[in-house]
């Protein structure tokens, strides 16, 4: 036996043993994929090695060519199980690469059989016999290598690339032993390719021992994987035993009553301690009995058995040792127990839970009744969405239930709240507050289904419903309440303002003071952009502008556009206009031309109103008993609220009264001036005294006759200053008579 025979024999022996071992493990379900691939590979390898041995010892050229072609074709086909082996070993599959290499190897194998001399030579000249060792003779083909021969090298390169890819994949997993073995195979393949290339370049076709011996490495790969699997299998079995013991312990100490029943015979195979205690029987008295034997009523037993066989959970009542019916939750699951098809049944006492559940259900019914019949709108919120609401909520939002459920509270709110903050931000802030507090109350502006805005008071509370924490929102419509509060506040404010104005008007004595005061007050109260004040002249029947309370820039703009000096403007008032003005204390006009009785034309009116964004004018008539004394006009901008009409009417009334009082006082003052002029020119002494005879007035003739200045006598008692003391008594009695006297009286006294 020569060295080559020994190598081939060794390879065949190892492959044969490895093949048998793989078949054994395959049957035992160990690593079926890798063992199947190795079985195929060893079959190919054994077939290839044997055909090589056959053709190398042939002396007949035709036999030599035939066996050599068969050997080469088998070798090409060996690439398929080789790739499958690498994939199974690394547990990474590249289906495209496997298909390419498989198809290519099949094509090469077929072509090798079709060509006369295979893919190794264009032509075989003959056989050269070489004596290797002793008398053994090996035949070697003599011929010229063909271009087809390089396809075998290409196939080897494909396998080399796939091996490298497998090495990279397995290296990433951190499995160093596998990565090392794959790398070792990779090196052997490189060496095999290198040797074959040198043989071809030297015009010799042959097979290196390195290539053949690489099959040993494949055997090592599979053996490594199988040993690793067996070790893990033993470890898993040990863990299973430990797990079974642990499960048995859990089975025994489980508070639920558990039994295992054979599916076919319906006999009890195993029970735990809790089940024995539940029935008050020893384990030996239970095992072997029919499942449900504790039921005396056969119909109940049959119902229980049939429901257990369905493999679903259900609730059932069972009478315990105290003869009290208890509710049990029965859970069933199909299992394998000692290789038998069985059912594991767990009976959990849920009597207390059911009682609690029934109590909760009753509370939920009460809650639903209160919820539905509440006089307040109630919403239930979860994940920032309404998921339920009552009838009052539908009435509040003027919407159907399906239009509310699933919507965000922001969907029924304007974009901004009263504080000019986004509704979405305010919603998040209020909901987040409930994370640190149980409730939150706040005012909220809602926008109902028809677009109407309403003011509401919202109370948020965390509640538990169906074991889930949700938010209950009680919403009260406070639109009318806030409106009334605001109205009351405005009334009090207006009354206070009106009181201040009334007091101030009572102190005003001239129109000039009134002209300066009233326009400023009206501008402050109304927020108007401009306020005029005019006095009605009865003689000329016209309204004379006395004051225009307006910004100087606006005043100059008005003057430039209209060419009218509003501060001195005179508006004639005919009978029709007079009647229209006196018909009401406060009126509204939309055109400046109307307000000025045509002094400002229509074009100028439009320009001014557009420039200053004025959309209405409020006219105020100052009347006293239906008689006109003056007017004011208030220019209101677009978007600004209309001032309180009642307040303006009150101001108009007291201003009319004040104008009339000033007129009366002015007339009285003029009459008194004429009367004093007459007294001062008289030749008689005139003296005016009060009821206590204190001197109020003396004329110039008094000063001339008595020699007292007016300052010396005013406020003094007349008879003490001027009369003889003897006449005091008489004067006093005369004064008493004077109190009750209507008309005049004469008497004489002696002056001191």
């Amino acid at each position: 036996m020569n060295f080559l025979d020994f190598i081939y024999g060794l390879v065949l022996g190892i492959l044969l043993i490895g093949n048998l071992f793989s078949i054994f493990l395959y049957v035992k379900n160990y690593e079926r994929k890798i063992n199947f691939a190795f079985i195929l590979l060893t079959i190919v390898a054994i077939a290839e090695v044997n055909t090589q041995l056959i053709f190398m010892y042939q002396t007949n050229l035709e036999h030599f060519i035939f066996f050599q072609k068969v050997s080469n074709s088998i070798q090409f086909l060996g690439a398929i199980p080789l790739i499958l082996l690498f994939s199974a070993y690394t547990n990474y599959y590249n289906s495209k690469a496997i298909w390419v290499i498989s198809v290519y190897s099949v094509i090469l194998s077929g072509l090798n059989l079709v060509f006369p001399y295979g893919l190794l030579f264009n032509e075989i000249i003959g056989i050269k016999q070489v004596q290797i060792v002793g008398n053994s003779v090996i035949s070697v083909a003599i011929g010229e290598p063909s271009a087809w021969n390089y396809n075998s090298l290409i196939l080897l390169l494909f396998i080399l690339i796939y091996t490298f890819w497998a090495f990279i994949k397995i290296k990433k997993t951190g499995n160093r032993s596998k990565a090392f073995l794959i790398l070792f195979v990779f090196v052997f393949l490189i060496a095999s390719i290198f040797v074959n290339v040198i043989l071809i370049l030297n015009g010799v076709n042959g097979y290196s021992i390195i290539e053949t011996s690489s099959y040993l490495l494949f055997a090592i790969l599979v053996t490594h994987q199988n040993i690793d699997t067996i070790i893990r299998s033993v470890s898993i079995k040990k863990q299973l035993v430990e797990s079974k013991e642990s499960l048995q312990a859990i089975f025994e100490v489980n508070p639920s009553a558990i039994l295992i029943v054979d599916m076919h015979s319906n006999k009890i195979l195993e029970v735990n301690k809790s089940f024995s205690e539940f029935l008050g029987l020893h384990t030996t008295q239970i095992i072997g009995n029919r499942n449900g034997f504790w039921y005396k009523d056969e119909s109940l037993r049959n119902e229980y058995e049939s429901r257990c066989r369905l493999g679903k959970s259900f609730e059932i009542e069972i009478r315990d040792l105290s003869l009290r019916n208890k509710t049990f939750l029965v859970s069933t699951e199909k299992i394998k127990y000692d290789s038998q098809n069985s059912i594991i049944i767990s009976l959990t006492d849920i009597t207390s839970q059911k009682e609690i559940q029934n109590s909760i259900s009753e509370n939920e019914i009460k809650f639903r009744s209160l919820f539905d019949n509440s006089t307040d709108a109630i919403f239930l919120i979860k994940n920032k969405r309404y998921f339920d609401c009552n009838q009052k909520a539908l009435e509040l939002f003027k919407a159907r239930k399906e239009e509310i459920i699933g919507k965000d509270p922001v969907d029924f709110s304007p974009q901004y709240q009263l504080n000019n903050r986004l509704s979405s931000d305010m919603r998040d802030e209020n909901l987040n507050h409930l994370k640190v507090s149980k409730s939150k109350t706040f005012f909220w502006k809602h926008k109902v289904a028809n677009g109407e805005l309403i003011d509401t008071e919202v109370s948020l509370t965390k509640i538990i419903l169906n074991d889930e924490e949700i938010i209950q929102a009680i919403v009260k419509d406070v639109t009318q309440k806030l409106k009334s509060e605001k109205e009351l506040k405005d009334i009090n404010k207006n009354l206070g303002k009106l009181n201040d104005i009334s007091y101030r008007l009572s102190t005003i004595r001239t129109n000039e003071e009134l002209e300066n005061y009233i326009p400023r007050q009206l501008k402050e109260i109304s927020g108007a952009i401009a306020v005029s004040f005019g006095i009605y002249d009865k003689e000329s029947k016209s309204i004379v502008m006395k004051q225009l309370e307006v910004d100087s820039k606006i005043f100059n703009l008005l003057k430039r556009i209209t060419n009218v000096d509003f501060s001195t403007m005179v508006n004639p008032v005919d009978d029709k206009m007079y009647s229209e003005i006196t018909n009401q204390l406060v009126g509204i006009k939309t055109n400046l031309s109307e307000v000025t009785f045509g002094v400002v034309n229509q074009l100028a009116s439009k320009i001014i109103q557009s420039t200053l964004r004025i959309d209405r004018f409020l006219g105020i008539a100052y009347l006293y008993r239906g008689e006109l004394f003056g007017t004011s006009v208030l220019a209101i901008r677009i978007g600004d609220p209309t001032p309180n009409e009642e307040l303006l009417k009150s101001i108009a009334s007291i201003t009319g009264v004040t104008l009339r009082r000033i007129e009366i006082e002015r007339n009285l003052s003029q009459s008194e001036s004429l009367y004093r002029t007459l007294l001062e020119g008289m030749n008689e002494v005139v003296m005016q005294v009060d009821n206590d005879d204190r001197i109020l007035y003396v004329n110039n003739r008094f000063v001339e006759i008595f020699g007292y200045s007016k300052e010396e006598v005013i406020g003094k008692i007349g008879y003490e200053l001027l009369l003889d003391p003897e006449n005091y008594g008489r004067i006093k009695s005369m004064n008493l008579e004077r109190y009750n006297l209507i008309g005049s009286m004469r008497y004489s006294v002696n002056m001191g």
Side-chain angles (χ1 to χ4, degrees), residues 676-688:
R676 287 184 181 277
T677 301
L678 179 63
L679 290 178
E680 290 295 338
M682 292 180 67
N683 197 35
E684 291 83 2
V685 172
V686 178
M687 180 176 63
Q688 183 181 2

Side-chain angles (χ1 to χ4, degrees), residues 253-293:
V253 301
N254 198 303
S256 297
I258 302 174
L259 65 157
I260 300 174
V261 179
D262 183 82
M263 283 187 64
H264 301 292
S265 64
N266 200 33
K267 295 293 183 65
I268 298 174
L269 303 176
E270 187 68 73
V271 297
N272 68 348
K273 183 179 179 182
S274 296
F275 191 83
S276 298
E277 291 175 351
F278 165 66
L279 292 183
L281 299 174
H282 192 269
T283 304
T284 55
Q285 295 175 291
I286 300 173
I287 294 176
N289 281 306
R290 180 181 173 182
N291 181 29
F293 73 91

Side-chain angles (χ1 to χ4, degrees), residues 216-326:
L216 298 176
L217 288 175
F218 303 146
I220 292 172
L221 291 181
V222 177
T223 303
H224 172 264
Q225 182 69 29
N226 285 327
I227 292 173
D228 183 62
T229 302
I230 291 170
I231 292 171
R232 283 190 288 108
S233 176
V234 171
S235 175
I236 290 171
K237 286 181 179 178
K238 183 180 178 182
Q239 291 176 5
L240 286 174
V241 171
E242 293 174 351
S243 298
K244 186 176 181 181
E245 293 174 353
S246 299
L247 289 173
Q248 185 65 34
I250 294 171
F251 178 79
E252 286 297 329
V253 301
N254 198 303
S256 297
I258 302 174
L259 65 157
I260 300 174
V261 179
D262 183 82
M263 283 187 64
H264 301 292
S265 64
N266 200 33
K267 295 293 183 65
I268 298 174
L269 303 176
E270 187 68 73
V271 297
N272 68 348
K273 183 179 179 182
S274 296
F275 191 83
S276 298
E277 291 175 351
F278 165 66
L279 292 183
L281 299 174
H282 192 269
T283 304
T284 55
Q285 295 175 291
I286 300 173
I287 294 176
N289 281 306
R290 180 181 173 182
N291 181 29
F293 73 91
W294 52 85
Y295 279 106
K296 304 302 180 185
D297 189 317
E298 186 175 355
S299 61
L300 290 176
R301 182 170 60 249
N302 292 336
E303 180 189 357
Y304 167 76
E305 290 178 0
S306 61
R307 296 180 75 174
C308 284
R309 290 178 182 276
L310 290 175
K312 295 181 179 178
S313 297
F314 59 93
E315 292 181 7
I316 197 166
E317 284 193 352
I318 302 176
R319 182 167 293 182
D320 65 359
L321 294 176
S322 64
L323 301 180
R324 187 168 70 93
N325 284 339
K326 288 190 174 183

Side-chain angles (χ1 to χ4, degrees), residues 12 33 76-77 92 172 209 246 274 303 315 327 341 343 374 411 417 419 426 504 532 536 581 583 615 651 744:
L12 287 172
K33 289 183 179 179
F76 289 142
L77 291 174
Y92 291 104
K172 288 181 179 179
I209 296 175
S246 299
S274 296
E303 180 189 357
E315 292 181 7
T327 303
N341 292 326
I343 301 175
S374 173
D411 294 333
Q417 288 298 311
N419 56 4
M426 293 291 292
R504 180 69 181 90
S532 68
Y536 179 67
I581 293 171
N583 189 46
D615 65 347
I651 294 174
S744 60

